[in-house]
Amino acid sequence: MGEGFPLLPESASTFAAELNLLFGYLTAVSLLFAGLIFTLVVAFAIRFRRRSEGDRPQPREGDLRLEALWTLIPLAIALSFFGWGADLFFRMKSPPADPLEIYVVGKQWMWKVQHQEGPREINELHVPLGQPVKLTMTSEDVIHSFYVPAFRVKQDVLPGRYTTLWFEATRTGEFHLFCAEYCGTEHSLMGGRVVVMSPVDYQIWLGGGRSGESLAEAGARLYDRLGCNSCHDAGPTARGPLLEGLYGSEVALAGGGTAIADEAYLRESIVEPGARVTAGYDEIMPTYAGQISEEGLLQIIAHIRSLGGALSLPGPGEPGGAQPSLRSEPGGGQ
Ligand code: CUA
């Protein structure tokens, strides 16, 4: 639905058709009731008009069945909006298992994209057709919003934390990418394009754009340069927790409680190490806030992730490794 209807953007993701339907349903019900109310206002104005000077309307008694009817029917309709909308919302917020993960950093005024395999892009995002793609996003400065109308996805991108969105493209081609949160002088220019390619073309593109090192390898280099290993490597002098197998695991915290070592926790532990210290360790790590860019933080997290853990990504070269498992479904998953 909605194809060729000029008021809607083109539809190029698995959500688009259903969102168009839901939007159409909301619009249809609104128009129906608006029409009904206008018609009745006019009809009643004529039907119950004052016919003579001495015209006195009869008092009317309430009718419980009528009251119940016009309460329950709108309630059921309103709940159908809610039920359908909530169901679709949760599906749009929950990426399927094993998506292709890509990192995005927004800054005044550009989108910087990092692929696990290494390639980086500015104001462009290349993705394969028919595969769920999950974006983990943050901002280097102010609030931005990542918006691809053709996919019907929009998510605020905030400084100091990670937000995610996911989509599955159902059509190859180029689609507009916008910033949808006013972020300064060049907000209106902060955009670009999303290029959806066939899985084979995407693999070729990945190879062609390869910068020589993967995201995790870049992270490992940064990790070494900052001397993280002096505290986090195994050994009798280790003053910090081991990072092998950490990603996605549950960490017991000093002072009680636990935390899941996801991207957000790892980021916090680098820029604000005292916030949630692992049980059994002293609060001695200095903060790295301001010393590592958001891209660098994502690289280090990718490195820690490559060291294994409950939700780790297989490293490059391992079986089922960095090459994303492509489900080649010609025509996409719709
Ligand atoms: Cu970034 Cu508006």
Side-chain angles (χ1 to χ4, degrees), residues 107 109 111 143-145 179-184 187-188 190:
K107 62 171 283 195
W109 288 276
W111 295 108
I143 301 177
H144 304 277
S145 185
C179 177
E181 180 71 43
Y182 181 66
C183 56
H187 158 70
S188 61
M190 183 172 169

Side-chain angles (χ1 to χ4, degrees), residues 42-330:
V42 173
F44 286 175
I46 296 168
R47 168 92 172 73
F48 298 111
R49 70 187 182 280
R50 200 179 190 194
R51 285 159 209 270
S52 68
E53 277 300 307
D55 197 2
R56 292 286 182 275
Q58 295 296 315
R60 297 200 170 251
E61 296 300 320
D63 184 334
L64 199 61
R65 286 168 306 169
L66 195 60
E67 298 261 2
L69 206 64
W70 71 41
T71 305
L72 292 178
I73 290 178
L75 178 70
I77 294 174
L79 282 179
S80 75
F81 294 157
F82 171 76
W84 189 359
D87 176 58
L88 181 57
F89 177 81
F90 282 114
R91 275 182 283 133
M92 292 181 72
K93 287 291 166 188
S94 327
D98 202 24
L100 172 63
E101 298 202 39
I102 299 174
Y103 294 119
V104 175
V105 176
K107 62 171 283 195
Q108 288 168 322
W109 288 276
M110 63 177 78
W111 295 108
K112 295 193 283 188
V113 174
Q114 299 190 100
H115 294 257
Q116 302 278 357
E117 295 79 3
R120 301 194 207 175
E121 323 181 56
I122 288 181
N123 291 339
E124 286 201 354
L125 169 62
H126 286 72
V127 294
L129 177 74
Q131 187 182 2
V133 175
K134 177 184 167 195
L135 305 181
T136 298
M137 308 183 291
T138 189
S139 165
E140 253 178 58
D141 36 49
V142 299
I143 301 177
H144 304 277
S145 185
F146 191 93
Y147 180 32
V148 185
F151 296 166
R152 308 292 191 273
V153 291
K154 184 197 279 176
Q155 171 64 51
D156 276 9
V157 176
L158 309 172
R161 75 164 86 164
Y162 293 132
T163 53
T164 61
L165 69 75
W166 82 276
F167 58 83
E168 181 178 329
T170 54
R171 222 204 263 178
T172 54
E174 293 184 10
F175 305 98
H176 289 295
L177 160 66
F178 295 108
C179 177
E181 180 71 43
Y182 181 66
C183 56
T185 318
E186 288 175 34
H187 158 70
S188 61
L189 303 176
M190 183 172 169
R193 56 183 194 146
V194 179
V195 182
V196 180
M197 315 171 87
S198 74
V200 172
D201 287 346
Y202 179 69
Q203 283 306 319
I204 294 168
W205 177 85
L206 271 185
R210 206 175 169 91
S211 65
E213 62 180 359
S214 72
L215 196 61
E217 286 161 358
R221 205 157 44 79
L222 196 51
Y223 180 89
D224 287 342
R225 186 158 64 75
L226 293 164
C228 308
N229 54 342
S230 65
C231 289
H232 286 286
D233 273 4
T237 59
R239 288 174 291 173
L242 253 188
L243 303 178
E244 272 80 10
L246 174 66
Y247 185 83
S249 65
E250 195 172 282
V251 178
L253 299 177
T258 58
I260 299 294
D262 55 7
E263 275 108 346
Y265 176 77
L266 295 176
R267 183 187 180 283
E268 179 191 78
S269 297
I270 298 169
V271 298
E272 200 187 332
R276 287 185 284 175
V277 180
T278 307
Y281 291 92
D282 293 327
E283 195 184 321
I284 51 170
M285 176 167 161
T287 174
Y288 284 85
Q291 299 180 49
I292 311 176
S293 69
E294 289 296 340
E295 285 167 286
L297 287 168
L298 287 165
Q299 290 165 358
I300 291 179
I301 290 169
H303 166 61
I304 295 173
R305 218 173 155 172
S306 72
L307 300 176
L311 297 167
S312 69
L313 287 175
E318 288 175 38
Q323 302 301 315
S325 53
L326 292 171
R327 291 182 277 139
S328 48
E329 295 163 27

